[in-house]
């Protein structure tokens, strides 16, 4: 008995729809960094952790808007035609998912950077903030 085959695999069309749906709402640190290095400015990288966490250390080029503070007032000047790429602490954090829900309710296009800040650091990508150069920051 194969555990791999215990549940039948999806058809190629079902798999294509599934992965397209997943990729339409997710990206990863490597893709974000590659686009930053290429000068792509079609998205805004948003750190949705607490403001104090952002001040300690955040992904280079990110702006801060804690997910609990997302509202029509705090996003009034934000362009709705620019994709927002959101991140929180790690794969164990759902702050970016909460932020994605809130931003999308306000009419923004969003993607979650899977792995969050933890995987941004693990890949050795540049960070900014008061604790740059110290041990990795985790939440």
């Amino acid at each position: 008995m194969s555990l791999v085959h215990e549940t039948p695999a999806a058809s190629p069309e079902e798999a294509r729809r599934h992965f397209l749906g997943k990729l339409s709402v997710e990206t990863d640190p490597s893709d974000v960094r590659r686009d930053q290095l290429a000068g792509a400015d079609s998205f805004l990288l948003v750190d949705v952790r607490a403001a104090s966490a952002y001040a300690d250390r955040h992904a280079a080029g990110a702006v801060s808007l804690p997910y609990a503070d997302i509202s029509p007032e705090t996003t009034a000047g934000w362009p709705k035609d620019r994709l927002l790429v959101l991140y929180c602490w790690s794969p164990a954090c759902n702050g970016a998912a909460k932020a994605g829900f809130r931003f999308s309710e306000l009419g923004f296009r969003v993607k979650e950077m899977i792995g969050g800040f933890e995987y941004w650091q693990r890949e050795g990508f540049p960070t900014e903030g008061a604790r740059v150069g110290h041990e990795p920051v985790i939440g």
Side-chain angles (χ1 to χ4, degrees):
M1 173 86 181
S2 167
L3 294 178
V4 171
H5 291 285
E6 181 177 33
T7 303
S11 70
E13 182 57 29
E14 289 172 313
R16 187 190 73 75
R17 278 194 308 272
H18 167 78
F19 290 111
L20 177 60
K22 187 174 178 172
L23 291 169
S24 71
V25 294
E26 294 179 351
T27 189
D28 66 19
S30 293
D31 289 348
V32 170
R33 185 62 186 150
R34 181 175 176 264
D35 280 3
Q36 284 179 331
L37 291 172
D41 63 354
S42 59
F43 66 89
L44 181 62
L45 184 59
V46 184
D47 186 320
V48 300
R49 302 173 301 149
S52 59
Y54 176 86
D56 277 347
R57 190 179 310 163
H58 57 272
V63 299
S64 175
L65 183 56
Y67 76 84
D69 296 338
I70 298 168
S71 70
E73 295 76 27
T74 60
T75 61
W78 292 40
K80 292 198 176 172
D81 60 344
R82 193 169 180 200
L83 175 67
L84 304 181
V85 174
L86 316 171
Y87 73 87
C88 61
W89 280 109
S90 71
C93 174
N94 68 357
K98 291 176 182 178
F101 176 75
R102 290 179 181 182
F103 275 118
S104 65
E105 279 194 315
L106 296 174
F108 290 93
R109 293 179 315 117
V110 295
K111 284 193 175 193
E112 178 181 4
M113 185 176 77
I114 60 174
F117 187 60
E118 177 184 348
Y119 279 75
W120 181 270
Q121 291 180 117
R122 283 183 180 215
E123 294 194 34
F125 298 145
T127 59
E128 301 167 336
R131 293 186 57 196
V132 169
H134 301 283
E135 73 287 344
V137 176
I138 56 173

mmCIF file of all heavy atoms in Angstrom, residues 2-53:
data_model
loop_
_atom_site.group_PDB
_atom_site.id
_atom_site.type_symbol
_atom_site.label_atom_id
_atom_site.label_comp_id
_atom_site.label_asym_id
_atom_site.label_seq_id
_atom_site.Cartn_x
_atom_site.Cartn_y
_atom_site.Cartn_z
ATOM 1 N N SER A 2 0.641 2.134 -0.910
ATOM 2 C CA SER A 2 1.401 3.369 -1.017
ATOM 3 C C SER A 2 0.636 4.504 -0.355
ATOM 4 O O SER A 2 -0.518 4.787 -0.706
ATOM 5 C CB SER A 2 1.635 3.711 -2.487
ATOM 6 O OG SER A 2 2.113 5.033 -2.617
ATOM 7 N N LEU A 3 1.270 5.172 0.587
ATOM 8 C CA LEU A 3 0.651 6.351 1.193
ATOM 9 C C LEU A 3 0.575 7.500 0.199
ATOM 10 O O LEU A 3 -0.335 8.325 0.260
ATOM 11 C CB LEU A 3 1.411 6.762 2.448
ATOM 12 C CG LEU A 3 1.348 5.764 3.603
ATOM 13 C CD1 LEU A 3 2.193 6.266 4.771
ATOM 14 C CD2 LEU A 3 -0.076 5.506 4.044
ATOM 15 N N VAL A 4 1.507 7.545 -0.734
ATOM 16 C CA VAL A 4 1.495 8.583 -1.762
ATOM 17 C C VAL A 4 0.263 8.433 -2.646
ATOM 18 O O VAL A 4 -0.395 9.413 -2.998
ATOM 19 C CB VAL A 4 2.783 8.529 -2.618
ATOM 20 C CG1 VAL A 4 2.685 9.455 -3.816
ATOM 21 C CG2 VAL A 4 3.995 8.871 -1.764
ATOM 22 N N HIS A 5 -0.075 7.205 -2.981
ATOM 23 C CA HIS A 5 -1.198 6.952 -3.886
ATOM 24 C C HIS A 5 -2.518 6.693 -3.158
ATOM 25 O O HIS A 5 -3.549 6.491 -3.810
ATOM 26 C CB HIS A 5 -0.880 5.774 -4.803
ATOM 27 C CG HIS A 5 0.192 6.088 -5.789
ATOM 28 N ND1 HIS A 5 -0.022 6.880 -6.891
ATOM 29 C CD2 HIS A 5 1.502 5.727 -5.830
ATOM 30 C CE1 HIS A 5 1.092 6.995 -7.574
ATOM 31 N NE2 HIS A 5 2.034 6.311 -6.948
ATOM 32 N N GLU A 6 -2.497 6.707 -1.825
ATOM 33 C CA GLU A 6 -3.722 6.437 -1.074
ATOM 34 C C GLU A 6 -4.845 7.401 -1.472
ATOM 35 O O GLU A 6 -6.003 7.016 -1.615
ATOM 36 C CB GLU A 6 -3.439 6.537 0.428
ATOM 37 C CG GLU A 6 -4.631 6.249 1.300
ATOM 38 C CD GLU A 6 -4.271 6.288 2.776
ATOM 39 O OE1 GLU A 6 -3.390 7.077 3.165
ATOM 40 O OE2 GLU A 6 -4.894 5.531 3.530
ATOM 41 N N THR A 7 -4.494 8.670 -1.639
ATOM 42 C CA THR A 7 -5.432 9.662 -2.144
ATOM 43 C C THR A 7 -5.058 9.924 -3.599
ATOM 44 O O THR A 7 -3.907 10.280 -3.878
ATOM 45 C CB THR A 7 -5.340 10.971 -1.337
ATOM 46 O OG1 THR A 7 -5.577 10.689 0.022
ATOM 47 C CG2 THR A 7 -6.324 11.999 -1.852
ATOM 48 N N PRO A 8 -5.984 9.748 -4.517
ATOM 49 C CA PRO A 8 -5.657 9.940 -5.937
ATOM 50 C C PRO A 8 -5.149 11.361 -6.211
ATOM 51 O O PRO A 8 -5.627 12.326 -5.620
ATOM 52 C CB PRO A 8 -6.987 9.695 -6.646
ATOM 53 C CG PRO A 8 -7.825 8.928 -5.676
ATOM 54 C CD PRO A 8 -7.383 9.352 -4.313
ATOM 55 N N ALA A 9 -4.196 11.448 -7.101
ATOM 56 C CA ALA A 9 -3.661 12.748 -7.513
ATOM 57 C C ALA A 9 -4.693 13.501 -8.336
ATOM 58 O O ALA A 9 -5.546 12.902 -9.000
ATOM 59 C CB ALA A 9 -2.385 12.559 -8.331
ATOM 60 N N ALA A 10 -4.612 14.819 -8.270
ATOM 61 C CA ALA A 10 -5.496 15.670 -9.069
ATOM 62 C C ALA A 10 -5.157 15.520 -10.542
ATOM 63 O O ALA A 10 -4.026 15.178 -10.908
ATOM 64 C CB ALA A 10 -5.326 17.126 -8.643
ATOM 65 N N SER A 11 -6.128 15.824 -11.365
ATOM 66 C CA SER A 11 -5.870 15.842 -12.803
ATOM 67 C C SER A 11 -4.916 17.000 -13.095
ATOM 68 O O SER A 11 -4.812 17.942 -12.298
ATOM 69 C CB SER A 11 -7.173 16.040 -13.576
ATOM 70 O OG SER A 11 -7.655 17.374 -13.378
ATOM 71 N N PRO A 12 -4.245 16.967 -14.231
ATOM 72 C CA PRO A 12 -3.376 18.094 -14.569
ATOM 73 C C PRO A 12 -4.116 19.436 -14.557
ATOM 74 O O PRO A 12 -3.574 20.439 -14.084
ATOM 75 C CB PRO A 12 -2.859 17.743 -15.966
ATOM 76 C CG PRO A 12 -2.864 16.252 -15.991
ATOM 77 C CD PRO A 12 -4.100 15.871 -15.203
ATOM 78 N N GLU A 13 -5.351 19.461 -15.042
ATOM 79 C CA GLU A 13 -6.116 20.716 -15.053
ATOM 80 C C GLU A 13 -6.435 21.177 -13.635
ATOM 81 O O GLU A 13 -6.333 22.363 -13.316
ATOM 82 C CB GLU A 13 -7.401 20.550 -15.871
ATOM 83 C CG GLU A 13 -8.232 21.813 -15.968
ATOM 84 C CD GLU A 13 -7.505 23.015 -16.558
ATOM 85 O OE1 GLU A 13 -6.594 22.847 -17.383
ATOM 86 O OE2 GLU A 13 -7.858 24.152 -16.186
ATOM 87 N N GLU A 14 -6.834 20.254 -12.763
ATOM 88 C CA GLU A 14 -7.111 20.615 -11.361
ATOM 89 C C GLU A 14 -5.837 21.128 -10.683
ATOM 90 O O GLU A 14 -5.870 22.109 -9.937
ATOM 91 C CB GLU A 14 -7.652 19.412 -10.590
ATOM 92 C CG GLU A 14 -9.052 19.001 -10.961
ATOM 93 C CD GLU A 14 -9.448 17.688 -10.299
ATOM 94 O OE1 GLU A 14 -8.652 16.720 -10.329
ATOM 95 O OE2 GLU A 14 -10.564 17.654 -9.753
ATOM 96 N N ALA A 15 -4.722 20.464 -10.935
ATOM 97 C CA ALA A 15 -3.452 20.883 -10.350
ATOM 98 C C ALA A 15 -3.058 22.267 -10.864
ATOM 99 O O ALA A 15 -2.608 23.120 -10.086
ATOM 100 C CB ALA A 15 -2.365 19.856 -10.667
ATOM 101 N N ARG A 16 -3.240 22.509 -12.160
ATOM 102 C CA ARG A 16 -2.907 23.814 -12.728
ATOM 103 C C ARG A 16 -3.734 24.901 -12.059
ATOM 104 O O ARG A 16 -3.203 25.933 -11.642
ATOM 105 C CB ARG A 16 -3.152 23.818 -14.243
ATOM 106 C CG ARG A 16 -2.662 25.100 -14.926
ATOM 107 C CD ARG A 16 -3.137 25.193 -16.368
ATOM 108 N NE ARG A 16 -4.546 25.498 -16.468
ATOM 109 C CZ ARG A 16 -5.080 26.712 -16.236
ATOM 110 N NH1 ARG A 16 -4.316 27.715 -15.872
ATOM 111 N NH2 ARG A 16 -6.375 26.908 -16.351
ATOM 112 N N ARG A 17 -5.040 24.698 -11.919
ATOM 113 C CA ARG A 17 -5.901 25.688 -11.256
ATOM 114 C C ARG A 17 -5.480 25.913 -9.804
ATOM 115 O O ARG A 17 -5.433 27.045 -9.339
ATOM 116 C CB ARG A 17 -7.372 25.247 -11.304
ATOM 117 C CG ARG A 17 -8.073 25.565 -12.596
ATOM 118 C CD ARG A 17 -9.592 25.425 -12.492
ATOM 119 N NE ARG A 17 -10.019 24.140 -11.953
ATOM 120 C CZ ARG A 17 -10.242 23.048 -12.678
ATOM 121 N NH1 ARG A 17 -10.073 23.076 -13.989
ATOM 122 N NH2 ARG A 17 -10.642 21.933 -12.110
ATOM 123 N N HIS A 18 -5.167 24.834 -9.118
ATOM 124 C CA HIS A 18 -4.748 24.949 -7.721
ATOM 125 C C HIS A 18 -3.474 25.796 -7.596
ATOM 126 O O HIS A 18 -3.424 26.731 -6.800
ATOM 127 C CB HIS A 18 -4.508 23.564 -7.111
ATOM 128 C CG HIS A 18 -3.793 23.596 -5.809
ATOM 129 N ND1 HIS A 18 -4.417 23.920 -4.619
ATOM 130 C CD2 HIS A 18 -2.486 23.391 -5.495
ATOM 131 C CE1 HIS A 18 -3.540 23.896 -3.635
ATOM 132 N NE2 HIS A 18 -2.359 23.574 -4.139
ATOM 133 N N PHE A 19 -2.460 25.454 -8.365
ATOM 134 C CA PHE A 19 -1.185 26.160 -8.239
ATOM 135 C C PHE A 19 -1.251 27.586 -8.764
ATOM 136 O O PHE A 19 -0.610 28.478 -8.210
ATOM 137 C CB PHE A 19 -0.048 25.354 -8.862
ATOM 138 C CG PHE A 19 0.282 24.130 -8.059
ATOM 139 C CD1 PHE A 19 0.018 22.876 -8.546
ATOM 140 C CD2 PHE A 19 0.804 24.249 -6.781
ATOM 141 C CE1 PHE A 19 0.292 21.738 -7.785
ATOM 142 C CE2 PHE A 19 1.086 23.129 -6.011
ATOM 143 C CZ PHE A 19 0.834 21.867 -6.515
ATOM 144 N N LEU A 20 -2.049 27.824 -9.788
ATOM 145 C CA LEU A 20 -2.248 29.192 -10.255
ATOM 146 C C LEU A 20 -2.919 30.023 -9.164
ATOM 147 O O LEU A 20 -2.518 31.154 -8.887
ATOM 148 C CB LEU A 20 -3.076 29.221 -11.537
ATOM 149 C CG LEU A 20 -3.392 30.614 -12.075
ATOM 150 C CD1 LEU A 20 -2.110 31.381 -12.403
ATOM 151 C CD2 LEU A 20 -4.286 30.503 -13.302
ATOM 152 N N GLY A 21 -3.934 29.457 -8.532
ATOM 153 C CA GLY A 21 -4.602 30.161 -7.429
ATOM 154 C C GLY A 21 -3.646 30.472 -6.298
ATOM 155 O O GLY A 21 -3.643 31.583 -5.755
ATOM 156 N N LYS A 22 -2.814 29.503 -5.950
ATOM 157 C CA LYS A 22 -1.836 29.699 -4.876
ATOM 158 C C LYS A 22 -0.822 30.789 -5.244
ATOM 159 O O LYS A 22 -0.552 31.687 -4.447
ATOM 160 C CB LYS A 22 -1.132 28.367 -4.600
ATOM 161 C CG LYS A 22 -0.230 28.363 -3.421
ATOM 162 C CD LYS A 22 0.287 26.952 -3.165
ATOM 163 C CE LYS A 22 1.245 26.971 -2.004
ATOM 164 N NZ LYS A 22 1.645 25.638 -1.588
ATOM 165 N N LEU A 23 -0.292 30.719 -6.450
ATOM 166 C CA LEU A 23 0.708 31.695 -6.872
ATOM 167 C C LEU A 23 0.125 33.095 -7.066
ATOM 168 O O LEU A 23 0.846 34.081 -7.011
ATOM 169 C CB LEU A 23 1.395 31.232 -8.158
ATOM 170 C CG LEU A 23 2.296 30.012 -7.988
ATOM 171 C CD1 LEU A 23 2.716 29.473 -9.344
ATOM 172 C CD2 LEU A 23 3.499 30.326 -7.115
ATOM 173 N N SER A 24 -1.188 33.192 -7.263
ATOM 174 C CA SER A 24 -1.796 34.513 -7.432
ATOM 175 C C SER A 24 -1.873 35.282 -6.120
ATOM 176 O O SER A 24 -2.082 36.494 -6.137
ATOM 177 C CB SER A 24 -3.189 34.383 -8.054
ATOM 178 O OG SER A 24 -4.109 33.839 -7.130
ATOM 179 N N VAL A 25 -1.696 34.602 -4.993
ATOM 180 C CA VAL A 25 -1.745 35.276 -3.690
ATOM 181 C C VAL A 25 -0.464 35.104 -2.873
ATOM 182 O O VAL A 25 -0.397 35.545 -1.733
ATOM 183 C CB VAL A 25 -2.969 34.814 -2.852
ATOM 184 C CG1 VAL A 25 -4.268 35.252 -3.507
ATOM 185 C CG2 VAL A 25 -2.937 33.318 -2.603
ATOM 186 N N GLU A 26 0.554 34.470 -3.446
ATOM 187 C CA GLU A 26 1.811 34.241 -2.734
ATOM 188 C C GLU A 26 3.012 34.584 -3.607
ATOM 189 O O GLU A 26 2.968 34.466 -4.826
ATOM 190 C CB GLU A 26 1.955 32.768 -2.325
ATOM 191 C CG GLU A 26 0.971 32.291 -1.319
ATOM 192 C CD GLU A 26 1.158 30.815 -0.972
ATOM 193 O OE1 GLU A 26 1.955 30.115 -1.637
ATOM 194 O OE2 GLU A 26 0.493 30.366 -0.033
ATOM 195 N N THR A 27 4.074 34.980 -2.926
ATOM 196 C CA THR A 27 5.390 35.106 -3.535
ATOM 197 C C THR A 27 6.372 34.687 -2.453
ATOM 198 O O THR A 27 5.964 34.312 -1.357
ATOM 199 C CB THR A 27 5.638 36.544 -4.057
ATOM 200 O OG1 THR A 27 6.848 36.551 -4.828
ATOM 201 C CG2 THR A 27 5.714 37.562 -2.942
ATOM 202 N N ASP A 28 7.660 34.744 -2.728
ATOM 203 C CA ASP A 28 8.624 34.354 -1.695
ATOM 204 C C ASP A 28 9.760 35.368 -1.617
ATOM 205 O O ASP A 28 9.894 36.241 -2.481
ATOM 206 C CB ASP A 28 9.134 32.932 -1.919
ATOM 207 C CG ASP A 28 9.970 32.750 -3.175
ATOM 208 O OD1 ASP A 28 10.493 33.742 -3.729
ATOM 209 O OD2 ASP A 28 10.130 31.607 -3.613
ATOM 210 N N PRO A 29 10.574 35.280 -0.564
ATOM 211 C CA PRO A 29 11.655 36.254 -0.404
ATOM 212 C C PRO A 29 12.606 36.327 -1.598
ATOM 213 O O PRO A 29 13.035 37.420 -1.980
ATOM 214 C CB PRO A 29 12.386 35.781 0.860
ATOM 215 C CG PRO A 29 11.328 35.098 1.662
ATOM 216 C CD PRO A 29 10.481 34.401 0.618
ATOM 217 N N SER A 30 12.909 35.190 -2.203
ATOM 218 C CA SER A 30 13.836 35.203 -3.347
ATOM 219 C C SER A 30 13.279 35.996 -4.518
ATOM 220 O O SER A 30 14.012 36.767 -5.155
ATOM 221 C CB SER A 30 14.145 33.772 -3.798
ATOM 222 O OG SER A 30 14.873 33.094 -2.812
ATOM 223 N N ASP A 31 11.995 35.810 -4.812
ATOM 224 C CA ASP A 31 11.395 36.548 -5.918
ATOM 225 C C ASP A 31 11.312 38.039 -5.613
ATOM 226 O O ASP A 31 11.564 38.885 -6.480
ATOM 227 C CB ASP A 31 10.005 36.006 -6.238
ATOM 228 C CG ASP A 31 10.038 34.628 -6.877
ATOM 229 O OD1 ASP A 31 11.131 34.173 -7.287
ATOM 230 O OD2 ASP A 31 8.969 33.994 -6.966
ATOM 231 N N VAL A 32 10.981 38.376 -4.376
ATOM 232 C CA VAL A 32 10.919 39.791 -3.980
ATOM 233 C C VAL A 32 12.301 40.426 -4.123
ATOM 234 O O VAL A 32 12.445 41.503 -4.724
ATOM 235 C CB VAL A 32 10.376 39.950 -2.539
ATOM 236 C CG1 VAL A 32 10.545 41.385 -2.044
ATOM 237 C CG2 VAL A 32 8.920 39.518 -2.471
ATOM 238 N N ARG A 33 13.321 39.765 -3.592
ATOM 239 C CA ARG A 33 14.675 40.328 -3.649
ATOM 240 C C ARG A 33 15.170 40.444 -5.087
ATOM 241 O O ARG A 33 15.782 41.450 -5.462
ATOM 242 C CB ARG A 33 15.646 39.497 -2.808
ATOM 243 C CG ARG A 33 17.023 40.094 -2.728
ATOM 244 C CD ARG A 33 17.003 41.463 -2.066
ATOM 245 N NE ARG A 33 18.313 42.082 -2.126
ATOM 246 C CZ ARG A 33 18.518 43.380 -2.188
ATOM 247 N NH1 ARG A 33 17.501 44.227 -2.150
ATOM 248 N NH2 ARG A 33 19.738 43.868 -2.250
ATOM 249 N N ARG A 34 14.888 39.435 -5.899
ATOM 250 C CA ARG A 34 15.307 39.484 -7.306
ATOM 251 C C ARG A 34 14.693 40.694 -7.998
ATOM 252 O O ARG A 34 15.363 41.413 -8.735
ATOM 253 C CB ARG A 34 14.896 38.204 -8.014
ATOM 254 C CG ARG A 34 15.317 38.148 -9.464
ATOM 255 C CD ARG A 34 14.976 36.781 -10.061
ATOM 256 N NE ARG A 34 15.301 36.753 -11.464
ATOM 257 C CZ ARG A 34 14.422 36.992 -12.442
ATOM 258 N NH1 ARG A 34 13.164 37.265 -12.155
ATOM 259 N NH2 ARG A 34 14.792 36.945 -13.696
ATOM 260 N N ASP A 35 13.403 40.936 -7.745
ATOM 261 C CA ASP A 35 12.751 42.099 -8.349
ATOM 262 C C ASP A 35 13.324 43.401 -7.809
ATOM 263 O O ASP A 35 13.493 44.368 -8.568
ATOM 264 C CB ASP A 35 11.242 42.047 -8.112
ATOM 265 C CG ASP A 35 10.523 41.121 -9.079
ATOM 266 O OD1 ASP A 35 11.184 40.460 -9.900
ATOM 267 O OD2 ASP A 35 9.284 41.061 -9.004
ATOM 268 N N GLN A 36 13.636 43.451 -6.519
ATOM 269 C CA GLN A 36 14.265 44.654 -5.963
ATOM 270 C C GLN A 36 15.585 44.939 -6.679
ATOM 271 O O GLN A 36 15.860 46.080 -7.056
ATOM 272 C CB GLN A 36 14.522 44.503 -4.463
ATOM 273 C CG GLN A 36 13.314 44.639 -3.591
ATOM 274 C CD GLN A 36 13.666 44.459 -2.110
ATOM 275 O OE1 GLN A 36 14.616 43.755 -1.753
ATOM 276 N NE2 GLN A 36 12.880 45.091 -1.253
ATOM 277 N N LEU A 37 16.401 43.908 -6.843
ATOM 278 C CA LEU A 37 17.704 44.083 -7.497
ATOM 279 C C LEU A 37 17.549 44.493 -8.959
ATOM 280 O O LEU A 37 18.402 45.195 -9.497
ATOM 281 C CB LEU A 37 18.531 42.804 -7.391
ATOM 282 C CG LEU A 37 19.025 42.462 -5.985
ATOM 283 C CD1 LEU A 37 19.656 41.078 -5.956
ATOM 284 C CD2 LEU A 37 20.015 43.525 -5.490
ATOM 285 N N ALA A 38 16.470 44.073 -9.594
ATOM 286 C CA ALA A 38 16.219 44.418 -10.996
ATOM 287 C C ALA A 38 15.583 45.797 -11.130
ATOM 288 O O ALA A 38 15.352 46.269 -12.238
ATOM 289 C CB ALA A 38 15.317 43.361 -11.633
ATOM 290 N N GLY A 39 15.292 46.443 -9.990
ATOM 291 C CA GLY A 39 14.708 47.774 -10.022
ATOM 292 C C GLY A 39 13.207 47.796 -10.220
ATOM 293 O O GLY A 39 12.641 48.848 -10.520
ATOM 294 N N ALA A 40 12.573 46.645 -10.059
ATOM 295 C CA ALA A 40 11.111 46.595 -10.220
ATOM 296 C C ALA A 40 10.448 47.406 -9.118
ATOM 297 O O ALA A 40 10.771 47.249 -7.947
ATOM 298 C CB ALA A 40 10.629 45.145 -10.175
ATOM 299 N N ASP A 41 9.555 48.291 -9.500
ATOM 300 C CA ASP A 41 8.856 49.100 -8.498
ATOM 301 C C ASP A 41 7.344 48.958 -8.641
ATOM 302 O O ASP A 41 6.580 49.826 -8.263
ATOM 303 C CB ASP A 41 9.269 50.560 -8.580
ATOM 304 C CG ASP A 41 8.897 51.203 -9.905
ATOM 305 O OD1 ASP A 41 8.411 50.495 -10.811
ATOM 306 O OD2 ASP A 41 9.085 52.421 -10.039
ATOM 307 N N SER A 42 6.927 47.817 -9.175
ATOM 308 C CA SER A 42 5.507 47.579 -9.404
ATOM 309 C C SER A 42 4.779 47.088 -8.160
ATOM 310 O O SER A 42 3.576 46.872 -8.195
ATOM 311 C CB SER A 42 5.323 46.562 -10.533
ATOM 312 O OG SER A 42 5.969 45.349 -10.180
ATOM 313 N N PHE A 43 5.518 46.889 -7.070
ATOM 314 C CA PHE A 43 4.900 46.459 -5.829
ATOM 315 C C PHE A 43 5.511 47.225 -4.665
ATOM 316 O O PHE A 43 6.606 47.771 -4.758
ATOM 317 C CB PHE A 43 5.051 44.944 -5.609
ATOM 318 C CG PHE A 43 6.463 44.486 -5.409
ATOM 319 C CD1 PHE A 43 7.031 44.450 -4.139
ATOM 320 C CD2 PHE A 43 7.229 44.073 -6.478
ATOM 321 C CE1 PHE A 43 8.339 44.026 -3.948
ATOM 322 C CE2 PHE A 43 8.544 43.645 -6.308
ATOM 323 C CZ PHE A 43 9.090 43.624 -5.032
ATOM 324 N N LEU A 44 4.768 47.241 -3.569
ATOM 325 C CA LEU A 44 5.220 47.860 -2.329
ATOM 326 C C LEU A 44 5.331 46.757 -1.295
ATOM 327 O O LEU A 44 4.367 46.035 -1.045
ATOM 328 C CB LEU A 44 4.209 48.918 -1.879
ATOM 329 C CG LEU A 44 4.531 49.685 -0.600
ATOM 330 C CD1 LEU A 44 5.821 50.483 -0.755
ATOM 331 C CD2 LEU A 44 3.371 50.611 -0.263
ATOM 332 N N LEU A 45 6.511 46.593 -0.700
ATOM 333 C CA LEU A 45 6.750 45.590 0.333
ATOM 334 C C LEU A 45 6.295 46.172 1.666
ATOM 335 O O LEU A 45 6.771 47.228 2.082
ATOM 336 C CB LEU A 45 8.234 45.219 0.363
ATOM 337 C CG LEU A 45 8.659 44.116 1.312
ATOM 338 C CD1 LEU A 45 7.932 42.802 1.014
ATOM 339 C CD2 LEU A 45 10.178 43.918 1.220
ATOM 340 N N VAL A 46 5.359 45.487 2.334
ATOM 341 C CA VAL A 46 4.743 46.010 3.553
ATOM 342 C C VAL A 46 4.975 45.049 4.714
ATOM 343 O O VAL A 46 4.541 43.895 4.667
ATOM 344 C CB VAL A 46 3.230 46.242 3.362
ATOM 345 C CG1 VAL A 46 2.625 46.883 4.613
ATOM 346 C CG2 VAL A 46 2.950 47.094 2.126
ATOM 347 N N ASP A 47 5.634 45.545 5.743
ATOM 348 C CA ASP A 47 5.839 44.818 6.995
ATOM 349 C C ASP A 47 4.608 45.057 7.853
ATOM 350 O O ASP A 47 4.325 46.196 8.232
ATOM 351 C CB ASP A 47 7.102 45.350 7.678
ATOM 352 C CG ASP A 47 7.507 44.596 8.910
ATOM 353 O OD1 ASP A 47 6.627 44.209 9.708
ATOM 354 O OD2 ASP A 47 8.717 44.410 9.108
ATOM 355 N N VAL A 48 3.874 44.001 8.170
ATOM 356 C CA VAL A 48 2.625 44.154 8.921
ATOM 357 C C VAL A 48 2.778 43.753 10.386
ATOM 358 O O VAL A 48 1.792 43.637 11.107
ATOM 359 C CB VAL A 48 1.462 43.384 8.247
ATOM 360 C CG1 VAL A 48 1.222 43.912 6.841
ATOM 361 C CG2 VAL A 48 1.698 41.883 8.252
ATOM 362 N N ARG A 49 4.030 43.574 10.839
ATOM 363 C CA ARG A 49 4.283 43.275 12.249
ATOM 364 C C ARG A 49 4.112 44.551 13.071
ATOM 365 O O ARG A 49 3.891 45.631 12.534
ATOM 366 C CB ARG A 49 5.711 42.740 12.421
ATOM 367 C CG ARG A 49 6.000 41.488 11.611
ATOM 368 C CD ARG A 49 7.465 41.085 11.659
ATOM 369 N NE ARG A 49 8.296 42.163 11.141
ATOM 370 C CZ ARG A 49 9.544 42.418 11.553
ATOM 371 N NH1 ARG A 49 10.117 41.682 12.490
ATOM 372 N NH2 ARG A 49 10.220 43.419 11.025
ATOM 373 N N ALA A 50 4.260 44.429 14.370
ATOM 374 C CA ALA A 50 4.177 45.593 15.252
ATOM 375 C C ALA A 50 5.224 46.626 14.852
ATOM 376 O O ALA A 50 6.305 46.281 14.356
ATOM 377 C CB ALA A 50 4.389 45.168 16.700
ATOM 378 N N ALA A 51 4.923 47.885 15.086
ATOM 379 C CA ALA A 51 5.851 48.968 14.740
ATOM 380 C C ALA A 51 7.193 48.794 15.431
ATOM 381 O O ALA A 51 8.241 49.112 14.852
ATOM 382 C CB ALA A 51 5.229 50.320 15.079
ATOM 383 N N SER A 52 7.200 48.279 16.653
ATOM 384 C CA SER A 52 8.462 48.076 17.373
ATOM 385 C C SER A 52 9.314 47.005 16.706
ATOM 386 O O SER A 52 10.543 47.119 16.667
ATOM 387 C CB SER A 52 8.198 47.708 18.834
ATOM 388 O OG SER A 52 7.423 46.522 18.912
ATOM 389 N N ALA A 53 8.695 45.957 16.177
ATOM 390 C CA ALA A 53 9.435 44.920 15.460
ATOM 391 C C ALA A 53 10.042 45.496 14.187
ATOM 392 O O ALA A 53 11.197 45.222 13.857
ATOM 393 C CB ALA A 53 8.519 43.747 15.136
#
